[in-house]
Amino acid sequence: MNPTVQPHWHQRASQLHIDPRAFIHGERVDVHGWGRFNSINPQDGAIVASLPSCGQAEVDRAVESSRKAFQQGSWSQRSPYERSRVLLKLADALENNQEELALLDSLEMGMPISSALPDIQVAAGIVRGVAERVNQLSEQLLPSAPSTLALNLRVPHGVVGAITPWNFPLYVAVAKIVPALAMGNSVVLKPSELASLSSLRLADLAHAAGIPAGVLNVIPGLGTETGRLLALHMDVDCLSFTGSTNTGRVLMQYAAQSNLKALLLECGGKSPQIVLDDLGDLDAVAEAIVHGYVWNSGQVCVAGTRILVTRKLYTPLMERMVARLDAQRSGDPLDAATQLGPLASAVQLERVASMVEAARSSGAKVVAGGARDEAMGGCHYRPTLVAEVPHSHPFMQEEIFGPVAGILPFDSPEQALHLANDCQFGLAATLWTRDFYLANQMARRVHGGPVTVNAVARPAPGFVTGASVEPARVSGFGSEGGMAGLLAYTRAKNVQFRLA
Ligand code: ADP
């Protein structure tokens, strides 16, 4: 072990009891499924766990268990108040177990422990926000003749399938399943094969907090096996997914081929950071822009990887960004001082390296990074900035999922907006300026759900929990967060009573 690495987290990691078994109907179960797969620590290549890939029998069992629980009503028929009380206990349990949950994510996908811990706190905040809001929802009594009582209701879908990615394993699982549960649904969750362990522990904690057997099942497995079976299942009413646009397209086909299940898709992004005039402190802005695409080693759907800069600030801003990129502290994710961990897998490292090479060989100028971080080993890639790359180049148009971005100058806000929206994705956007009149105009016209002005779109403990966002274009559809994010896990229903 590197002597500069604080032993605390390594010690905790070596003491972890890892249970890779599926969680079905209120307990951990041994399953055979398709066979097994390994999750690999991208820092040192060690096997973290060998997990079962659930097959048809287990997917059927999990969905059946969820359906039965939904119909029996031990959760679905409870009042929002009763459900919110259980969710508040789950929030406490997340905080009480934050070290273990953060460690599991860190070991499986390489997130620095310094980020993984606050992530669990943010997840606990999401649960508390949902628990509060579910008690504030109201339904409608419609104007009608005195002989009629007409109600507009929101009812749960029933069984919700959730398929989650590896970049924020616990956080995304919580952001999906908790609103679904709050509205009375039962959930079958298939986490990413790269990082399933924190989701399995989430099921243990939810059950201990009072979520009845069958209301939350977690089935590990490969996407093309377990995920496909869940998405094709005839008894799953709604499928909520976060991941790549390609998989989102496949899931739409599966929904069409099976039972037309409702879909919520949060897919890829290639988000712009637009740097306008009137910035204030250029050093602070350069720091924040870098953070906006290198945190979590750039493996963030909303990472601001197309940096569009007003021409007069282009060179000074780029110089400051390069200085900060070169100073990023890469290292062992279990060292509490590490800012930048490895990429989550060798496949991801290969993709990032090849996209930078493609830009370089087409004449672009790599002004920072642009190579594997040999000193760090593992799947580390140096934080990178690429200039003079045409906006139409795949480097500027495709989601890469690494600490790499391109930078381009523009001559007018209108041109900046044109460039920002000249992309198939529409997930998020960031504007940098103190000209709030201009920022307001542009925020309304730029594609994307969350638009941040003078801030990076990164949830932090104590963040605004009521925000509702919905992706645009090939970034997907369906609301997340806030009241709209709760209603997304329901259907509209109208009930009319003839009273006379
Ligand atoms: P990434 O390329 O970033 O890993 P993916 O979209 O492949 O993103 O993965 C996100 C989630 O989707 C993971 O849980 C993965 O197992 C799942 N998945 C991948 N392919 C399929 C598929 N064909 N059907 C269902 N789920 C899938």
Side-chain angles (χ1 to χ4, degrees):
M1 195 197 302
N2 178 340
T4 61
V5 172
Q6 298 163 5
H8 168 66
W9 290 105
H10 280 279
Q11 242 166 37
R12 285 281 284 116
S14 66
Q15 291 158 357
L16 273 179
H17 168 68
I18 290 180
D19 186 348
R21 292 176 299 167
F23 186 95
I24 301 179
H25 211 71
E27 59 183 0
R28 294 299 196 111
V29 290
D30 284 313
V31 299
H32 295 294
W34 300 92
R36 300 191 79 80
F37 65 95
N38 292 332
S39 76
I40 308 285
N41 183 335
Q43 173 65 17
D44 58 13
I47 295 174
V48 181
S50 158
L51 296 107
S53 189
C54 290
Q56 188 75 60
E58 293 80 31
V59 175
D60 285 347
R61 203 163 131 201
V63 174
E64 217 173 280
S65 142
S66 282
R67 173 64 61 196
K68 215 191 262 173
F70 185 73
Q71 281 170 347
Q72 281 171 350
S74 59
W75 181 254
S76 56
Q77 296 296 318
R78 285 167 82 176
S79 69
Y81 175 71
E82 289 173 299
R83 290 197 296 259
S84 74
R85 287 190 51 152
V86 173
L87 292 177
L88 288 172
K89 284 191 198 156
L90 173 59
D92 291 341
L94 292 178
E95 275 179 355
N96 294 337
N97 292 275
Q98 58 182 284
E99 286 203 355
E100 179 192 359
L101 295 166
L103 261 174
L104 291 173
D105 282 354
S106 188
L107 289 173
E108 285 199 289
M109 53 69 65
M111 187 188 298
I113 197 73
S114 59
S115 296
L117 267 179
D119 239 43
I120 310 297
Q121 291 155 18
V122 170
I126 287 181
V127 182
R128 292 203 177 96
V130 167
E132 269 170 34
R133 271 192 296 285
V134 75
N135 276 309
Q136 293 163 3
L137 283 171
S138 55
E139 293 171 321
Q140 275 180 315
L141 180 61
L142 299 175
S144 62
S147 58
T148 305
L149 184 66
L151 306 172
N152 269 353
L153 303 178
R154 301 296 308 201
V155 295
H157 284 289
V159 176
V160 172
I163 297 182
T164 50
W166 44 261
N167 56 340
F168 297 96
L170 191 277
Y171 168 88
V172 176
V174 164
K176 276 201 185 313
I177 67 169
V178 169
L181 292 174
M183 298 312 291
N185 297 281
S186 295
V187 177
V188 179
L189 166 66
K190 191 214 80 73
S192 164
E193 50 270 53
L194 262 57
S196 319
L197 296 173
S198 60
S199 293
L200 289 165
R201 282 295 289 139
L202 173 63
D204 295 332
L205 298 174
H207 190 57
I211 304 271
V215 174
L216 173 61
N217 293 303
V218 180
I219 47 173
L222 303 183
T224 48
E225 296 174 354
T226 318
R228 179 176 62 83
L229 292 172
L230 186 62
L232 279 169
H233 207 288
M234 294 298 284
D235 207 24
V236 170
D237 302 301
C238 167
L239 185 68
S240 179
F241 166 77
T242 297
S244 63
T245 293
N246 281 345
T247 303
R249 289 183 200 280
V250 172
L251 296 182
M252 289 188 80
Q253 287 170 359
Y254 289 162
Q257 282 163 24
S258 54
N259 59 344
L260 286 188
K261 51 181 69 65
L263 289 174
L264 301 168
L265 301 182
E266 205 235 70
C267 300
K270 188 78 182 175
S271 300
Q273 298 201 58
I274 306 175
V275 185
L276 297 149
D277 283 328
D278 192 4
L279 281 188
D281 182 348
L282 194 55
D283 289 305
V285 172
E287 174 93 37
I289 292 174
V290 164
H291 180 65
Y293 78 88
V294 307
W295 65 285
N296 205 23
S297 296
Q299 301 164 122
V300 180
C301 334
V302 297
T305 50
R306 287 184 294 139
I307 298 161
L308 310 172
V309 189
T310 185
R311 194 171 292 278
K312 110 177 169 209
L313 294 175
Y314 179 71
T315 303
L317 182 76
M318 186 158 62
E319 284 166 3
R320 285 167 172 81
M321 286 178 63
V322 169
R324 276 154 187 83
L325 287 161
D326 291 343
Q328 289 292 308
R329 212 186 140 126
S330 295
D332 179 347
L334 297 190
D335 178 343
T338 293
Q339 293 174 313
L340 217 61
L343 294 167
S345 68
V347 171
Q348 201 49 33
L349 176 65
E350 194 44 51
R351 171 168 172 76
V352 172
S354 70
M355 290 299 283
V356 175
E357 271 330 295
R360 202 191 315 254
S361 60
S362 73
K365 204 165 146 192
V366 177
V367 292
R372 293 180 61 155
D373 196 334
E374 301 292 348
M376 289 298 142
C379 295
H380 285 264
Y381 195 84
R382 287 171 54 200
T384 296
L385 186 63
V386 177
E388 295 170 33
V389 55
H391 191 252
S392 56
H393 192 280
F395 184 85
M396 293 300 274
Q397 291 290 324
E398 288 179 20
E399 185 172 54
I400 300 176
F401 245 48
V404 302
I407 185 165
L408 279 178
F410 63 78
D411 292 306
S412 68
E414 207 49 43
Q415 191 198 3
L417 198 58
H418 174 78
L419 286 169
N421 286 346
D422 183 19
C423 179
Q424 62 174 333
F425 295 107
L427 195 59
T430 300
L431 305 172
W432 297 99
T433 182
R434 294 185 304 190
D435 180 344
F436 292 115
Y437 176 82
L438 181 60
N440 179 44
Q441 300 289 319
M442 291 183 73
R444 287 161 193 275
R445 291 171 65 200
V446 71
H447 294 312
V451 178
T452 49
V453 181
N454 296 334
V456 169
R458 175 178 187 175
F463 73 122
V464 180
T465 66
S468 298
V469 295
E470 181 160 12
R473 315 185 99 209
V474 304
S475 293
F477 50 83
S479 297
E480 243 185 49
M483 291 292 187
L486 289 178
L487 296 181
Y489 288 97
T490 64
R491 289 177 186 282
K493 186 165 211 162
N494 179 264
V495 180
Q496 297 199 18
F497 296 82
R498 176 62 56 88
L499 301 173

